[in-house]
Structures are given as C-alpha cells and as structure tokens.
Amino acid sequence: MRCITLWLLVVLLMPKGNHYEYEINVFIHADTDSVVVEGDLLRGQQEGDEFVQYVDGNVQVTLESTKVTADRAIRNVTRRTSTFTGKVVLVDDGDTLRADSLHYEEEPEIGYAVGNVRLSDGEVVAMAPMGTHYVEERRAVFPQGLLLEDSISVLTAEAGVYQIEDKVADLTGNVKMESENAELTSDSLTHYRDFAITLARGSVLYLTVSGEDSTWIAGERVERNAKDSLSIVRGNPLLVHFERDLLSVDTLIIGAGAFRIQESKEGFRLEALRDVRVWKTSFAARADSVVYDRPENEQHESAWFYGEPLIWADDIQLSGDTVGVVTEEGALDSLFIRGNAFVAEEDSLTKRINQGRGKGLVGTFRGDSIRVFRIGPNAEAIHFNSSEDGELHGAWEASGDEIIMQFWGESLRITFSTDVQGKRHHESALPDTLALDGLRWEPNLKPIRERLLSHPLVSTLRWTR
C-alpha cells in the first residue's frame, strides 16, 4: 500500500464522528506525485483500510498535468482512483474530455467516461455515449458508437479507436465518412489525418457528386489519398456514373478487377484493370484494361481500350489491338482502332456476318442510326446480299487500299478506293462459312446493364443523395 506522507488542510477542521468536514478548502496530498483537491464542501474519512475523500460543488482535482473539474467527486486516496459526476471536464496536454461522469485511475492515467462524451484535441472532436481515454498514451477507445469530426470530414461508426498523437482513427461497424460532395461507407476504416489517407475495407461504397452528376463506386477495399486526389479500388469494383441534363440521364457502368481513379481540376481519370466490362447508353465494351477520361466542364469523354478489346455500337461489333472511343454529350461521336481493325455485323434477315478489316479504322457517328467506318490500309470486306424477304443472293468478297462501310438503320453500303480486287460468290456456290482472317464474332460477351448491376453491393446503393 502506498504511504501518505503529507496532508495539508486549510480552514479549521470540525470533527464529526470518525471523519472531518470542512468548507472551501484546499486539500493537498503529497506522495511521489502531488494531487490538489478543491471544492465547496470536502469530507475525508477512513473506510476500513482505505481513506476516501468526498467533494461536492465546484470540484477541481489537479494531478500533475491533468486537471479535472466536476459538480461532485469521490476520491479513493488509497487506491488512487476518482469518480466524477456532473459536467465533468478533463484537460491534459491540449486534450479536453467532457462527459456526464468519469472514473479516473491515477496510476495508469486512464479515464472511463460515460454519457455525452466529447473529446477534442483542438483539431478533431470525437463524440460518443461512452469512451475510455488513455491519457498518457493519448489514445481513446469508443466501444459503443462514435462520431469523429474535423474541418474536412465527419466519420461515424459503431465502434472506434482514435490515436490522438498519431492522428489515426480505426473504425468498425457501419462506418460512414462524409465530406463536401463525397460520402463513403464500409465495414471498417482506417483514417490517417496527417497524410489525408483513408483505407476502407469490406462492402465499400463511395459516392461523389458534381452539380447534377453523381458517381457511385462499389468494391471490397478502397485506398484513398485525399491530398493527391487518388483512389485505388480493389475486389471486383463497379462504377456507376449518372450524367443528368434537363431532358435525360446518361448512364455509364464499368466493372473490373481493380480501379485506379485520379481526380483533379482538369477532370476525372479512371484506369480499370482485368476483365473490364463497360455499358454506356450509347455503346458497350469489353477489354483487359481501359483508360477513361472525363474533362471538367467539357461535354466530351474518351476511353481507350487495351488487350483484345471488343466494342459494340448497337448491333455492330468492332475489335482491334487498341480501340479509342469519344462521346459527345453522352452520344458516340467517333471511334479509332489502331492495329488489326475489324468490323462485324449480323444481317438481320440472313443471319450471316458482314465483315470489314484493315490495319486501322476511323469511325464517325451521326444521330442515332448513321455509322461510317473508314478502314485501311490493306482493307478487305465481305458483304452478303439478300432480298427484302430475307432470301440470300450470294456475297461479295473484295479488297482495296481503303474501304468505307456506311451503316444507316438496317442498311449497309461498302465503297472501295484504289487497287480494288474482288469476286462474287453465287448463292448456289456460297460456302457455309465465309469469313475474313481475324473474325471474332462473340455477341455473348457483350456487357448487359442488368448483369453488371447484379453486383452484390448494388442493392444497397441510394441512387440520389
């Protein structure tokens, strides 16, 4: 048991049985550390092997650098513990803890706070129904809910730990992080305030809003660096972007193995990796990777697809080594293929595949039905002829330096220029399979909106904020 080496009492003591009462006193206990106890009414008494102080009214207890004020206090001098009730305020090294009640252990310097708990270090405010404050470690544990707020964001969770010195928050259970024009939810989250880095884990949903437009991102893990405006999303993420105007909503959906997202004043860039699937109101695509750019305050967007890309514009399938797509106000504007360009379209009547191929391709789109593809050099084409009732009338197979394939509605026109060579296949001699080298006709791989939206996290999305 620790020995009490000095008691100093100010004001005349009034004996009452086995204890003393005194009013408006300063009560000093000196041992290896000094404790100053002040209050309107103080009473000290021996209770078995322990000496206990009862303080009532304007309580103030000072323990080295720690000062606690309250309406009432009971201090066990022998055990070196104190229980404070009523408007409790603990101040230590710039940290301020407020609560309805506080049990404080002097030796390990731990405070157990209950009721309207509020902890602040001057930059961050933590609010909770209860919490444990490790004063010397500058660490706070909140087991029954937490709200953490600074000048940039607000975090809430079912439980959490805040490292005050390191400025690190570890939160678990229905975590939500809100900031201007952004919201993130997850199962757990670690936030490094000094570095503005957030690691969110488990069923992560991330929403950003810009004017009338909004972007939802779902994944199993998000690593976000707010200073660099950079996010890495893992765990088969899904992006859903809504672009609104007065008359319509243009939707973009991207699924992949991982995302790298860079935001800046210039705009938004998404790099998607591994089994990329894209569905947009005006086209669909599939590739190993894509780089998607949306400039700020611009009406056009662009995407470059790599790794055996397939693009679908209506029922037309395009492929090549690298494919670039440009949209204007949500509609397809132009398309570029570098290396092994291929165009394929199934004739709706004969079910045969019209084809065109060449070294490269430039495509333009006008309105909802006119598509023009300029293919070359080393261009080749196959076109199946049919009557209006769907009867097959043979096919043309030709090559040239350049060809133009023009689609409008269900009609197709092919024009050749320079060094044209070709032949006609009569319907009676038409082979069962007539295809150019490199044909990949895979309509079953075309991404479908409903399939992409079958992502397990989509059911939890709120489409408006």
Side-chain angles (χ1 to χ4, degrees):
M1 181 181 294
R2 186 182 295 272
C3 296
I4 301 173
T5 57
L6 172 64
W7 291 95
L8 173 62
L9 294 86
V10 179
V11 177
L12 182 64
L13 298 179
M14 297 172 288
K16 288 190 176 182
N18 66 344
H19 65 272
Y20 294 92
E21 279 194 5
Y22 33 90
E23 293 187 358
I24 311 179
N25 299 283
V26 177
F27 194 49
I28 300 178
H29 158 237
D31 194 342
T32 55
D33 301 312
S34 62
V35 178
V36 179
V37 180
E38 301 178 63
D40 294 342
L41 179 64
L42 292 83
R43 177 166 56 91
Q45 65 184 41
Q46 193 73 27
E47 298 181 358
D49 295 334
E50 300 174 348
F51 190 78
V52 181
Q53 300 169 342
Y54 295 87
V55 191
D56 192 26
N58 296 312
V59 176
Q60 179 171 301
V61 177
T62 304
L63 310 94
E64 293 189 338
S65 63
T66 303
K67 180 183 289 187
V68 184
T69 60
D71 292 339
R72 294 165 298 279
I74 301 174
R75 180 167 182 265
N76 190 312
V77 178
T78 308
R79 295 187 181 183
R80 297 178 64 80
T81 62
S82 301
T83 299
F84 302 90
T85 56
K87 299 177 183 177
V88 181
V89 180
L90 181 151
V91 179
D92 181 270
D93 194 24
D95 302 336
T96 302
L97 173 68
R98 302 175 185 273
D100 293 340
S101 64
L102 174 72
H103 178 75
Y104 187 78
E105 298 180 359
E106 300 171 16
E107 192 62 32
E109 297 187 63
I110 301 176
Y112 301 91
V114 177
N116 298 309
V117 177
R118 182 185 178 95
L119 175 64
S120 173
D121 63 357
E123 295 181 349
V124 176
V125 176
M127 291 178 279
M130 66 179 299
T132 302
H133 182 31
Y134 297 84
V135 177
E136 186 174 0
E137 298 178 28
R138 298 197 69 197
R139 176 170 64 96
V141 178
F142 304 95
Q144 294 188 8
L146 166 67
L147 184 149
L148 197 66
E149 182 176 6
D150 60 17
S151 60
I152 298 175
S153 60
V154 177
L155 294 95
T156 57
E158 294 178 358
V161 178
Y162 183 57
Q163 305 280 355
I164 303 171
E165 188 73 33
D166 297 331
K167 299 181 181 179
V168 177
D170 276 303
L171 310 179
T172 58
N174 292 318
V175 181
K176 178 184 288 187
M177 183 177 187
E178 296 178 280
S179 58
E180 186 178 7
N181 299 325
E183 177 182 300
L184 183 150
T185 61
S186 64
D187 294 339
S188 64
L189 179 146
T190 302
H191 181 53
Y192 300 86
R193 289 192 59 252
D194 261 353
F195 304 101
I197 291 176
T198 302
L199 306 179
R201 299 167 295 271
S203 302
V204 182
L205 297 175
Y206 180 44
L207 166 68
T208 59
V209 177
S210 177
E212 294 297 318
D213 302 340
S214 59
T215 302
W216 278 103
I217 298 170
E220 283 304 312
R221 181 182 175 92
V222 172
E223 305 158 19
R224 173 157 177 78
N225 185 326
K227 287 184 178 179
D228 296 335
S229 299
L230 175 66
S231 300
I232 306 296
V233 189
R234 308 179 193 276
N236 299 315
L238 182 75
L239 176 145
V240 182
H241 175 71
F242 298 106
E243 194 167 331
R244 297 174 174 84
D245 58 27
L246 294 176
L247 300 177
S248 63
V249 177
D250 181 49
T251 304
L252 169 67
I253 307 173
I254 301 177
F259 291 157
R260 184 183 187 276
I261 300 169
Q262 181 71 66
E263 300 168 82
S264 67
K265 294 180 181 179
E266 287 72 35
F268 175 95
R269 165 168 280 201
L270 166 70
E271 298 174 20
L273 306 172
R274 299 191 303 277
D275 189 25
V276 179
R277 290 139 291 139
V278 177
W279 185 93
K280 190 172 172 63
T281 306
S282 54
F283 74 94
R286 195 169 198 130
D288 289 341
S289 63
V290 63
V291 177
Y292 165 75
D293 285 297
R294 186 173 68 243
E296 188 69 23
N297 300 321
E298 297 286 346
Q299 296 299 315
H300 70 272
E301 303 169 6
S302 65
W304 282 95
F305 298 87
Y306 305 91
E308 299 186 343
L310 289 170
I311 312 295
W312 290 267
D314 297 326
D315 294 325
I316 303 170
Q317 178 188 287
L318 302 106
S319 61
D321 294 342
T322 303
V323 180
V325 173
V326 177
T327 63
E328 188 79 23
E329 295 183 347
L332 267 175
D333 176 77
S334 52
L335 183 145
F336 308 90
I337 300 180
R338 298 172 181 171
N340 295 310
F342 210 111
V343 180
E345 181 235 17
E346 184 180 66
D347 185 282
S348 60
L349 298 176
T350 66
K351 303 304 179 182
R352 303 297 288 265
I353 308 300
N354 295 315
Q355 305 158 49
R357 58 160 291 179
K359 187 174 181 179
L361 178 147
V362 175
T364 56
F365 299 80
R366 297 195 298 272
D368 295 330
S369 59
I370 301 177
R371 287 87 171 89
V372 180
F373 302 111
R374 187 182 296 271
I375 307 171
N378 305 323
E380 301 175 68
I382 293 176
H383 181 222
F384 293 90
N385 301 316
S386 62
S387 62
E388 292 183 359
D389 58 5
E391 183 179 352
L392 187 61
H393 287 173
W396 284 97
E397 183 175 2
S399 64
D401 186 56
E402 181 182 87
I403 62 174
I404 297 174
M405 300 182 71
Q406 181 173 336
F407 296 84
W408 67 98
E410 295 185 358
S411 300
L412 168 61
R413 179 182 179 182
I414 301 178
T415 305
F416 291 82
S417 64
T418 66
D419 297 327
V420 180
Q421 299 180 23
K423 62 180 178 180
R424 183 179 184 277
H425 298 274
H426 192 272
E427 59 268 23
S428 61
L430 191 64
D432 293 335
T433 301
L434 184 61
L436 299 174
D437 290 343
L439 172 64
R440 291 178 59 200
W441 180 245
E442 300 184 88
N444 57 308
L445 293 181
K446 182 179 180 180
I448 298 173
R449 180 179 184 271
E450 289 71 23
R451 290 180 185 172
L452 283 170
L453 292 179
S454 65
H455 192 287
L457 293 177
V458 166
S459 62
T460 64
L461 295 181
R462 290 181 291 110
W463 300 112
T464 58
R465 188 185 186 210

